[in-house]
Amino acid sequence: MKLFRKLPMVLLYALFTFSSCSTDNDKNEFSAIEMNLIQQESKAIEVEILKLINSHRSSLGLNALTEMNIVKSVAYSHTDYMVDRGEVSHHNFFTRSEYLKANAGAKNVSENVAYGYSSAESVVRAWLKSEAHKENLEGDYTNFDVSAEKNEEGKWYYTNIFIKK
């Protein structure tokens, strides 16, 4: 009985802990935000996430995705935004998408975000358990990158962006 009462809370937590977004169904209006693009060196957790995603794609016979500095910078900008606000979101996705279309030659853009996972394996495993996230991980893309940043309490925030050129 206790589990039954906790189930709605667990489902809400899961819903707000990670979500995905794609330009295929994007209905946001363009909003002018400053793209705070900063070149970031890759952290070990970010490198591992990218390797795990490409390993999964390879196991399905899909092409490996290539990292791209501009995609990493845009992902970092959003991760930093989420850390500052203390919430996981796809706020301003349309702006990120349009920026990558204009400056990276992207035809399609999607992203996965997450919060609180302490390892590369756990965040990738969670994304693979979610149909929308899995669709992005296994989608028809050519490039990707990821940003992982900790908040003041040491909790990780993630933004993983995929593009097709």
Side-chain angles (χ1 to χ4, degrees):
M1 185 66 169
K2 287 182 181 180
L3 179 62
F4 184 72
R5 283 189 291 202
K6 291 182 181 180
L7 187 58
M9 292 303 291
V10 171
L11 291 174
L12 279 175
Y13 177 77
L15 177 66
F16 291 111
T17 300
F18 55 89
S19 63
S20 68
C21 195
S22 170
T23 54
D24 294 339
N25 60 7
D26 185 36
K27 301 214 187 304
N28 295 330
E29 292 186 25
F30 183 79
S31 71
I33 65 164
E34 182 179 334
M35 294 298 290
N36 184 21
L37 300 183
I38 300 171
Q39 283 297 106
Q40 293 291 312
E41 292 209 24
S42 294
K43 298 174 189 68
I45 194 168
E46 294 167 338
V47 171
E48 186 65 20
I49 289 168
L50 298 177
K51 284 181 183 177
L52 288 168
I53 291 170
N54 269 338
S55 177
H56 173 75
R57 290 177 63 84
S58 178
S59 75
L60 299 174
L62 300 171
N63 63 303
L65 303 177
T66 305
E67 298 167 42
M68 196 171 187
N69 287 336
I70 192 169
V71 174
K72 181 165 196 64
S73 294
V74 172
Y76 172 77
S77 177
H78 185 61
T79 304
D80 191 47
Y81 170 86
M82 291 190 301
V83 169
D84 286 348
R85 299 207 28 142
E87 66 178 329
V88 177
S89 75
H90 290 288
H91 295 166
N92 305 306
F93 174 72
F94 183 80
T95 302
R96 288 188 297 287
S97 175
E98 290 302 305
Y99 183 86
L100 290 169
K101 288 175 181 177
N103 295 284
K107 294 178 185 169
N108 292 319
V109 180
S110 68
E111 74 179 13
N112 290 342
V113 296
Y115 163 78
Y117 296 95
S118 59
S119 70
E121 295 84 5
S122 63
V123 72
V124 172
R125 190 170 39 248
W127 282 333
L128 288 171
K129 287 181 181 179
S130 161
E131 196 59 39
H133 294 94
K134 184 177 179 179
E135 187 175 306
N136 287 342
L137 291 174
E138 296 174 358
D140 183 20
Y141 298 105
T142 55
N143 302 85
F144 71 155
D145 224 310
V146 67
S147 171
E149 297 295 325
K150 285 185 179 180
N151 67 6
E152 290 177 356
E153 292 81 37
K155 300 286 185 181
W156 287 100
Y157 284 77
Y158 304 90
T159 304
N160 185 200
I161 298 178
F162 303 85
I163 70 169
K164 178 178 175 121
K165 290 182 97 176

